[in-house]
């Protein structure tokens, strides 16, 4: 068996897409008499600054001889990669073993590439010590993702599927013709086996990209047959080719559990560009600032961490605005410039009481302050109360998990509808 890993072949402005290149390589492998066991699409650390879009890396699992696989992939990559873009730095790594035989240090590298920042030098050291064939173009940064793609099958155990349909090449860069109605009908019928296909709140077809890349649509889900069926039911312009990818999308593989103190202590340093799941108590009233971003502080044992729901998370911000100081919650998201960018949060304990001025037991009207430290008094009836009283408040939120809508979801973030959460869920669809 052979594993071909590749990354960093596309350009934001010029189009292309590494998934497309992987699909083309798979076709050539098959054309050359080889078998393709699967195509793997792994999303690496979404915080990496030099990513083009979704920080994807690709692997092809095949029985083709490693030397032939290397030559074939290198030729395809050379012909297709957008190396004219200064930010495109392709990498190719070919491993002469079965996908589940990647050595520990390659699997460990894959885990790190999803959760941390890695260096090309470290990737190259591991590539050499594993005796892999490799090639790089320009600064060869793509070797990081290519090696991570090789190690992923051992590193991770949770997988989902995406069926990608590609456009005819003459149409690349032109507006896509996809019948939205057929997308919504097919998406509805197959939900929740497929998810993040549409956003019912905005009416957008999330599965159709807006970039100049070759993808017409990508259908994601837990079931390979369901994603295929839904893709086949979508009407629109001709589909030039399709490919099924096994992916770590929708798995939360980027998140690590941590204490709030640990994360807050790493703000401005090692916590930057990492994503966490942390618990704490809401410590400030959520505040909407310029641009529509909503901020609040989360506290635990003397440490504080600023959390934010940014404008693109749209209706999710209303959930965040409904939080109150005293609520016990868990939050998930990436730390960037000292702020945790919320992807989802769980209400563990709602604070359902507030301190209020007492009402007069005789006339029912609100009492007035009787002076500093003297409690309250009803001016009409003369009744007295020692201080404020605790009152039940109506809360808009319920216990459980809330998430950003499909249009704001990061590829790697797990949609609530997939299940397996430690509390009730309130999925967005
Ligand atoms: P493409 O469709 O081309 O894969 P993309 O959005 O996935 O687009 P890339 O163009 O691949 O982004 O750019 C990501 C670059 O970052 C690649 O060179 C990859 O090797 C590198 N990279 C990925 N993960 C990490 C990481 N954790 N640390 C450092 N570099 C990384």
């Amino acid at each position: 068996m052979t594993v071909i890993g590749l990354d960093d072949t596309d350009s934001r402005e010029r189009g292309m897409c590494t998934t497309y290149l992987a699909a083309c390589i798979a076709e050539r492998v098959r054309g050359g008499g080889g078998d393709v066991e699967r195509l793997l699409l792994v999303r690496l650390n979404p915080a990496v600054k030099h990513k083009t879009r979704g920080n994807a890396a690709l692997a092809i699992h095949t029985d083709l001889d490693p030397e032939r696989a290397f030559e074939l992939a290198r030729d395809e990559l050379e012909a297709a990669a957008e190396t004219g873009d200064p930010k495109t730095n392709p990498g190719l790594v070919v491993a002469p073993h079965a996908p589940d035989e990647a050595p520990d240090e390659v699997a460990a590298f894959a885990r790190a590439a999803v959760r941390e920042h890695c260096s090309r030098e470290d990737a190259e050291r591991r590539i050499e010590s594993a005796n892999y064939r490799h090639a790089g173009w320009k600064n060869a940064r793509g070797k990081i993702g290519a090696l991570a793609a090789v190690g992923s099958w051992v590193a991770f155990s949770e997988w989902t599927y995406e069926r990608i349909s590609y456009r005819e090449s003459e149409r690349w860069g032109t507006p896509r013709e996809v019948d939205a109605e057929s997308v919504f009908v097919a998406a509805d019928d197959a939900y929740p086996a497929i998810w993040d296909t549409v956003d019912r709140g905005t009416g957008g077809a999330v599965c159709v990209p807006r970039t100049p890349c070759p993808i017409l649509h990508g259908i994601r889900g837990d079931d390979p047959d369901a994603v295929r069926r839904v893709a086949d039911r979508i009407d629109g312009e001709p589909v030039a080719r399709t490919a099924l990818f096994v992916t770590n999308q929708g798995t939360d593989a980027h998140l690590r559990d941590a204490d709030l103190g640990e994360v807050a202590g790493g703000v401005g340093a090692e916590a930057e560009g990492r994503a966490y799941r942390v618990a704490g108590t809401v410590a400030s009233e959520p505040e909407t600032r310029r641009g529509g971003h909503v901020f609040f502080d989360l506290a635990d044992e003397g440490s504080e961490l600023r959390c934010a729901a940014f404008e693109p998370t749209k209706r999710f911000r209303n959930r965040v605005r409904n939080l109150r100081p005293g609520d016990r919650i868990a939050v998930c998201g990436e730390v960037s410039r000292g702020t945790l960018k919320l992807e989802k949060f769980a209400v563990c304990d709602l604070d359902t009481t507030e301190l209020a001025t007492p009402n007069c037991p005789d006339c029912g009207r609100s009492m007035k302050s009787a002076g500093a430290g003297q409690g309250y008094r009803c001016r009409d009836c003369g009744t007295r109360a020692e201080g404020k009283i605790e009152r039940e408040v109506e809360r808009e939120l319920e216990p459980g998990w809330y998430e950003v809508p499909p249009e704001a979801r990061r590829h790697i973030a797990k949609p609530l509808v997939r299940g397996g959460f430690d509390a009730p869920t309130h999925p967005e669809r």
Side-chain angles (χ1 to χ4, degrees), residues 284-290 292-296 307 309 320-321:
S284 71
E285 204 69 56
E287 184 193 339
T288 304
R289 302 214 187 128
R290 207 168 52 176
H293 315 304
V294 183
F295 292 85
F296 68 90
C307 299
V320 174
R321 288 185 184 109

Side-chain angles (χ1 to χ4, degrees), residues 291-420:
H293 315 304
V294 183
F295 292 85
F296 68 90
D297 293 322
L298 192 67
D300 192 46
E301 296 187 349
S303 300
E304 284 207 354
L305 177 66
R306 190 190 307 138
C307 299
F310 285 100
E311 193 280 333
T313 64
K314 303 292 180 194
R315 56 193 190 266
F316 175 66
R317 293 172 301 163
N318 289 333
R319 308 300 198 181
V320 174
R321 288 185 184 109
N322 285 331
L323 288 167
R324 284 188 38 198
D327 289 342
R328 194 73 205 154
I329 64 172
V331 298
C332 299
E334 170 199 319
V335 173
S336 171
R337 288 194 273 160
T339 301
L340 185 137
K341 303 193 286 190
L342 289 169
E343 294 168 11
K344 50 168 101 56
F345 71 86
V347 174
C348 309
D349 238 330
L350 276 180
D351 184 9
T352 55
T353 58
E354 66 180 3
L355 288 178
T357 306
N359 290 334
C360 169
D362 292 346
C363 70
R365 277 197 288 264
S366 178
M367 291 176 151
K368 299 282 179 287
S369 170
Q374 311 217 14
Y376 292 86
R377 194 169 70 87
C378 176
R379 289 203 184 135
D380 297 330
C381 311
T383 51
R384 285 186 163 275
E386 271 180 18
K388 290 202 168 186
I389 51 153
E390 266 198 359
R391 193 163 64 189
E392 286 288 313
V393 275
E394 280 284 315
R395 299 297 308 270
E396 299 277 336
L397 294 169
E398 290 167 22
W401 286 95
Y402 291 90
E403 65 182 352
V404 300
E407 276 199 343
R409 183 122 44 232
R410 306 191 105 171
H411 302 288
I412 200 165
K414 182 171 174 174
L416 296 178
V417 71
R418 293 203 61 230

Side-chain angles (χ1 to χ4, degrees), residues 32-353:
D35 182 43
V36 174
E37 191 183 5
R38 74 179 67 78
L39 294 173
L40 204 60
L41 162 55
V42 287
R43 298 290 180 171
L44 305 176
N45 186 350
V48 164
K49 294 279 179 293
H50 38 256
K51 69 181 178 184
T52 311
R53 283 182 301 267
N55 205 5
L58 275 295
I60 299 150
H61 299 171
T62 172
D63 63 358
L64 201 69
D65 159 73
E67 183 56 32
R68 273 192 68 206
F70 179 72
E71 281 165 11
L72 190 154
R74 191 186 50 198
D75 291 351
E76 280 290 310
L77 212 151
E78 236 153 33
E82 288 290 354
T83 40
D85 184 316
K87 293 196 285 286
T88 302
N89 299 287
L92 169 68
V93 174
V94 174
H97 56 61
D100 57 0
E101 284 168 0
D104 289 349
E105 63 164 15
V106 175
F109 188 81
R111 276 182 220 106
V114 171
R115 294 186 171 185
E116 291 164 30
H117 293 267
C118 304
S119 70
R120 196 204 61 220
E121 292 74 14
D122 184 18
E124 281 175 341
R125 257 195 313 275
R126 292 175 201 241
I127 290 167
E128 292 292 343
S129 96
N131 237 336
Y132 291 162
R133 289 171 180 78
H134 58 102
W137 289 260
K138 294 162 60 191
N139 80 16
R141 189 190 283 137
K143 284 185 187 178
I144 297 171
L147 182 66
V150 170
S152 288
W153 197 245
V154 173
F156 305 106
S157 55
E158 190 178 350
W159 300 103
T160 63
Y161 299 89
E162 178 162 357
R163 165 83 158 187
I164 302 186
S165 302
Y166 296 98
R167 316 182 69 193
E168 293 177 327
S169 54
E170 313 83 80
R171 292 179 188 257
W172 296 1
T174 65
R176 290 171 173 83
E177 286 168 30
V178 176
D179 177 51
E181 171 77 15
S182 68
V183 177
F184 272 80
V185 171
D188 252 5
D189 288 352
Y191 185 85
I194 60 135
W195 27 262
D196 288 357
T197 315
V198 296
D199 189 321
R200 302 213 137 262
T202 61
V206 182
C207 63
V208 181
R210 294 193 192 92
T211 54
C213 76
I215 297 178
L216 184 59
H217 47 73
I219 307 300
R220 298 175 181 188
D222 292 323
D223 174 30
D225 294 326
V227 296
R228 193 176 290 124
R229 270 198 311 275
V230 169
D232 290 346
R233 285 182 60 190
I234 296 175
D235 298 328
E237 63 181 65
V239 169
R241 48 160 65 82
T242 61
L244 178 73
F245 293 88
V246 180
T247 93
N248 67 345
Q249 291 169 165
T251 64
D252 273 348
H254 63 316
L255 298 180
R256 62 178 85 212
D257 290 308
D259 290 334
L260 191 142
E262 198 185 313
V263 181
V267 158
E270 73 269 21
E272 295 290 322
R274 290 181 172 186
Y276 295 92
R277 192 186 292 113
V278 284
T281 303
V282 176
S284 71
E285 204 69 56
E287 184 193 339
T288 304
R289 302 214 187 128
R290 207 168 52 176
H293 315 304
V294 183
F295 292 85
F296 68 90
D297 293 322
L298 192 67
D300 192 46
E301 296 187 349
S303 300
E304 284 207 354
L305 177 66
R306 190 190 307 138
C307 299
F310 285 100
E311 193 280 333
T313 64
K314 303 292 180 194
R315 56 193 190 266
F316 175 66
R317 293 172 301 163
N318 289 333
R319 308 300 198 181
V320 174
R321 288 185 184 109
N322 285 331
L323 288 167
R324 284 188 38 198
D327 289 342
R328 194 73 205 154
I329 64 172
V331 298
C332 299
E334 170 199 319
V335 173
S336 171
R337 288 194 273 160
T339 301
L340 185 137
K341 303 193 286 190
L342 289 169
E343 294 168 11
K344 50 168 101 56
F345 71 86
V347 174
C348 309
D349 238 330
L350 276 180
D351 184 9
T352 55
T353 58

